[in-house]
Amino acid sequence: MRYAVFVLWACASAGGCERSSSQADAPRTEQAPSAAIPGGATPDDAAPRLATPEDALAAFLSAWNLSVLPRVRESERGALQAIDRAMREAPEKLTARREPCREAKALVERINRETSHDFVVYGTLGDLNRDGDCWRVMYEGGMDAEAIGYLDPVSGRLLVVWRVPEG
């Protein structure tokens, strides 16, 4: 498992990996061009559907490298760089599971309220105000090295990343 996560990390860092022949030969379902995808994405800019935890991990790592790290607020830069280093050293501590999007929103809001600090480092909590599940990708690196990201399972879009406070 550690090797598989490392490979996903390397692919995400490099901007993607080539698909295997079994993936390339698999039948693809096409959506009508006018179909809207939940979360504001369009069929043209939507990532493939995230069907497995491995899909969610790969999508999260790609977005982490391409969208989160380059856009982080200066006040959060040190903490996120520490989390990034920890993720690269122990990628097996990344996990993915589905959970209700609204429950995720409520949890983050509660913690922000209790600590009087906004721990969201990417996206907005309003994007979690939706029916159904989101992919929850968590890095459990210990004190000051934990982050959780939520992804839309249909579009593959990273919705929110928050830094888990110590304690």
Side-chain angles (χ1 to χ4, degrees):
M1 178 67 177
R2 180 178 184 161
Y3 177 75
V5 174
F6 179 76
V7 170
L8 289 172
W9 186 274
C11 289
S13 295
C17 290
E18 290 186 32
R19 293 173 20 191
S20 70
S21 59
S22 63
Q23 288 173 317
D25 298 336
R28 296 174 67 182
T29 56
E30 300 292 331
Q31 280 189 312
S34 61
I37 294 175
T42 64
D44 294 333
D45 63 8
R49 180 175 172 85
L50 305 178
T52 67
E54 291 78 17
D55 294 340
L57 289 170
F60 173 79
L61 291 171
S62 179
W64 176 266
N65 288 307
L66 299 174
S67 300
V68 178
L69 289 177
R71 294 185 181 105
V72 68
R73 294 183 308 264
E74 190 61 39
S75 62
E76 295 286 349
R77 188 165 309 282
L80 258 22
Q81 286 173 339
I83 293 169
D84 184 62
R85 276 191 305 276
M87 278 197 286
R88 290 177 191 276
E89 291 172 5
E92 71 278 3
K93 294 181 179 181
L94 275 164
T95 60
R97 68 181 174 105
R98 290 177 70 135
E99 71 178 36
C101 297
R102 285 201 174 100
E103 285 182 18
K105 178 181 183 284
L107 170 68
V108 178
E109 286 176 332
R110 181 179 57 78
I111 289 181
N112 283 349
R113 191 173 45 255
E114 289 173 359
T115 60
S116 299
H117 182 80
D118 184 4
F119 286 97
V120 174
V121 296
Y122 178 84
T124 61
L125 288 178
D127 287 339
L128 295 177
N129 190 22
R130 57 175 61 206
D131 292 332
D133 288 346
C134 290
W135 277 105
R136 172 188 186 253
V137 175
M138 180 172 189
Y139 182 73
E140 297 181 79
M143 294 285 232
D144 290 332
E146 295 187 344
I148 299 175
Y150 298 99
L151 297 105
D152 180 330
V154 175
S155 71
R157 185 170 71 96
L158 181 62
L159 303 170
V160 171
V161 175
W162 65 290
R163 184 172 54 82
V164 179
E166 181 181 331

